[in-house]
Amino acid sequence: MTSKRPSTSVKRPTNLDLSSIQFPLPALVSIAHRITGVIMFVGLIFVLWAFDTSLSSPEGFASVRDALTGNALAQLIAWGLLSALSYHFVAGIRHLIMDMGYGETLQSGQRGAQLTIIITAVLVVLSGVWVW
């Protein structure tokens, strides 16, 4: 038994250049969801360090508090992690809603992606106000 594959005259690219493809907004939102997951995983190092140091002694707590209130780099890292968490949370809710069967059409997928970006923008601004 030999299986015969139908011959096609369409030439397929051997090396796919992703920079030449224009992704739709829902695809970009999904890709960014994965990227923020990686950012949060790496940022967990800083969060665990801050928890460990702040819980070790009153002096450790004071040093973490001083770092988060007086150091612009520490505040930027905290704001970045909160922004990644906000985006990841909102995009995760979007994925859960899609898993329930809502927002699977092209138009509703586009609207869901737009809402994800708008809600995240509000949360990022609010977290920036809270950090600074």
Side-chain angles (χ1 to χ4, degrees), residues 36 75-76 78-88 90 116-132:
T36 55
Q75 289 176 328
L76 183 65
W79 178 68
L81 289 174
L82 286 172
S83 298
L85 177 65
S86 299
Y87 184 87
H88 197 77
V90 173
T116 298
I117 292 172
I118 292 168
I119 293 169
T120 300
V122 170
L123 292 175
V124 166
V125 168
L126 289 176
S127 66
V129 168
W130 185 60
V131 168
W132 281 291

Side-chain angles (χ1 to χ4, degrees), residues 93-105 108-109 112:
I93 296 296
R94 175 180 171 263
H95 281 291
L96 286 174
I97 290 170
M98 289 177 67
D99 285 344
M100 291 187 293
Y102 302 104
E104 292 180 337
T105 65
S108 59

Side-chain angles (χ1 to χ4, degrees), residues 49-55 59-69:
W49 169 83
F51 280 156
D52 181 52
T53 304
S54 68
L55 294 175
E59 295 81 21
F61 178 81
S63 69
V64 171
R65 183 188 63 219
D66 293 342
L68 288 175
T69 57

Side-chain angles (χ1 to χ4, degrees), residues 27-38 40 84 87-95:
L28 294 173
V29 167
S30 182
I31 292 167
H33 182 244
R34 291 173 175 89
I35 292 170
T36 55
V38 172
M40 288 189 318
Y87 184 87
H88 197 77
F89 179 76
V90 173
I93 296 296
R94 175 180 171 263
H95 281 291

